[in-house]
Amino acid sequence: MILFGFFEKGYMNGLIIGVAAFVAVAAAATAIECVYFYRRTMKRNKAKKERTIKMSGTDWSRHIPFIEERKEYMLAQPHDEVFIKSKDGLKLHATYFPNGDEKKIVICFHGYTSEGMKDYIALSHYYLKNGYSMLLVDERAHGQSEGEYIGFGCLDRFDALGWIDFIIDRCGEDVQILLHGTSMGGATVLMTSALKLPKQVKGIISDCAFTSPKYVFTHVLHSMYHLPAFPVIQVADFVNKKRAGYGMDECNSAKEVRKAEVPILLIHGDSDNFVPCSMCDEIYENCVSPKKKLIIKGASHAECYYVDTAAYEKALNDFIGEFVK
């Protein structure tokens, strides 16, 4: 009996040590997963455009001839590099295309891991041909703008106010301004809609915007990595509050548009697997300002303009024509 008790005690001790070791390994693996996800998602030197394009699922190769044709036209137009300072002291960059009397301006905000001069190559043809000057912004931690942590609209909305002031100072009190954003830029302009905007801002166009970083990351973890969101999102939220100064659901486009006053046009592709079209529907239902919605059939992420250029431009004409003279 004594011998049996000895072996039983030894077995239990071994079991406890084994369980403890398993828990420690699992905790370490989870910690590594959280750090890995956070660094490659939120920090500028780790977030890669090639990875974003792959995750988005959009086949851009079929649009290259169209893009190259529009790019040649865009780069042939006069343009300048301009800079402002953000509220927290970052040097922010944009490329400005003056056009006509500079009284109609569109300020454009790009997607995650992109740059201002890349996301609006095709659309520049529409705006420049219709007499708009264009300000193509590099959002913080992108392109030539400073910043270590990506703002996901939560920080960029305040930078947007700075760019609006820049345009008013440059072009005068009688300037008419549109805000146009794609993907993360779309979330940026929707989050900006809740702020006190100058009267010069006449409307907002948002293409394939997400509701908040929390929910788009949850979707990505589930659909692309086949991983549970807990505890990755919770850890990312805690770390980001400490390092970047905002929470992962602190700004939610669907909530911010409940305070909007300017008209909003929402555009989304029904085949978007990166930012689900359901997010567009949620934002639309919550928007309290004058609103319109365009859903492009067969378009994946950020592909709407390329899949149905005519429908996209008609929606812009109908929307803008109501309040820009």
Side-chain angles (χ1 to χ4, degrees):
M1 293 295 292
I2 294 174
L3 184 62
F4 178 77
F6 173 79
F7 281 118
E8 185 180 53
K9 182 177 181 181
Y11 172 78
M12 289 303 297
N13 286 340
L15 181 61
I16 291 170
I17 292 171
V19 170
F22 174 80
V23 171
V25 169
T30 300
I32 291 170
E33 177 191 329
C34 292
V35 170
Y36 175 73
F37 174 79
Y38 182 81
R39 286 171 61 84
R40 68 183 270 153
T41 303
M42 305 303 298
K43 297 193 69 176
R44 87 176 289 160
N45 61 343
K46 298 295 182 182
K48 303 299 182 183
K49 182 174 179 63
E50 296 76 17
R51 187 164 59 238
T52 304
I53 292 174
K54 184 178 180 180
M55 288 192 301
S56 74
T58 303
D59 179 13
W60 289 107
S61 63
R62 63 183 180 139
H63 303 303
I64 288 176
F66 182 60
I67 292 171
E68 289 299 320
E69 176 188 331
R70 292 289 178 94
K71 183 177 182 180
E72 182 178 355
Y73 171 81
M74 181 181 78
L75 293 180
Q77 310 309 309
H79 53 280
D80 305 306
E81 310 304 317
V82 295
F83 298 87
I84 63 170
K85 280 281 186 182
S86 69
K87 289 177 63 176
D88 52 348
L90 298 178
K91 186 179 182 181
L92 303 177
H93 167 264
T95 305
Y96 182 61
F97 287 77
N99 192 19
D101 61 3
E102 298 182 63
K103 294 303 180 185
K104 295 193 300 182
I105 314 285
V106 59
I107 306 177
C108 299
F109 297 84
H110 60 77
Y112 176 61
T113 68
S114 190
E115 300 174 20
M117 285 289 283
K118 292 182 178 178
D119 281 11
Y120 291 89
I121 292 172
L123 262 170
S124 66
H125 187 272
Y126 169 85
Y127 279 119
L128 293 173
K129 288 285 188 179
N130 281 284
Y132 283 84
S133 298
M134 299 185 73
L135 184 72
L136 306 182
V137 171
D138 283 347
E139 298 196 54
R140 59 172 55 216
H142 290 79
Q144 296 183 52
S145 290
E146 293 179 343
E148 182 179 2
Y149 295 98
I150 296 171
F152 283 99
C154 299
L155 301 180
D156 308 282
R157 58 185 176 149
F158 299 111
D159 301 337
L161 291 181
W163 286 117
I164 292 168
D165 289 340
F166 168 85
I167 287 297
I168 295 172
D169 289 343
R170 175 175 175 129
C171 301
E173 293 291 325
D174 57 344
V175 68
Q176 300 178 88
I177 299 172
L178 297 175
L179 305 181
H180 193 136
T182 301
S183 191
M184 185 182 77
T188 295
V189 297
L190 292 177
M191 293 174 186
T192 304
S193 74
L195 304 177
K196 185 64 177 177
L197 296 176
K199 63 182 181 180
Q200 288 84 358
V201 178
K202 302 300 183 182
I204 290 173
I205 300 102
S206 175
D207 186 337
C208 63
F210 53 76
T211 50
S212 76
K214 174 184 176 181
Y215 290 108
V216 76
F217 293 157
T218 297
H219 171 74
V220 168
L221 284 168
H222 287 164
S223 64
M224 298 179 185
Y225 290 94
H226 307 293
L227 293 171
F230 180 85
V232 176
I233 297 297
Q234 287 71 23
V235 171
D237 182 66
F238 175 80
V239 174
N240 211 55
K241 285 177 181 176
K242 296 290 185 182
R243 296 187 178 180
Y246 69 95
M248 305 300 280
D249 196 33
E250 182 174 318
C251 289
N252 185 312
S253 298
K255 295 177 182 176
E256 299 305 313
V257 294
R258 295 173 187 170
K259 297 173 265 185
E261 296 181 356
V262 298
I264 293 176
L265 170 62
L266 298 170
I267 302 171
H268 218 107
D270 71 353
S271 297
D272 191 335
N273 295 319
F274 192 42
V275 177
C277 193
S278 58
M279 290 192 179
C280 178
D281 296 332
E282 182 182 354
I283 294 166
Y284 183 83
E285 290 303 317
N286 279 275
C287 183
V288 297
S289 64
K291 58 190 177 182
K292 291 187 176 183
K293 180 170 64 172
L294 172 67
I295 304 300
I296 301 293
K297 293 188 179 300
S300 59
H301 190 64
E303 197 186 22
C304 288
Y305 186 68
Y306 303 88
V307 169
D308 197 338
T309 305
Y312 200 113
E313 292 188 351
K314 182 180 185 305
L316 290 178
N317 289 338
D318 293 345
F319 177 70
I320 298 169
E322 293 185 8
F323 50 84
V324 175
K325 307 304 179 185

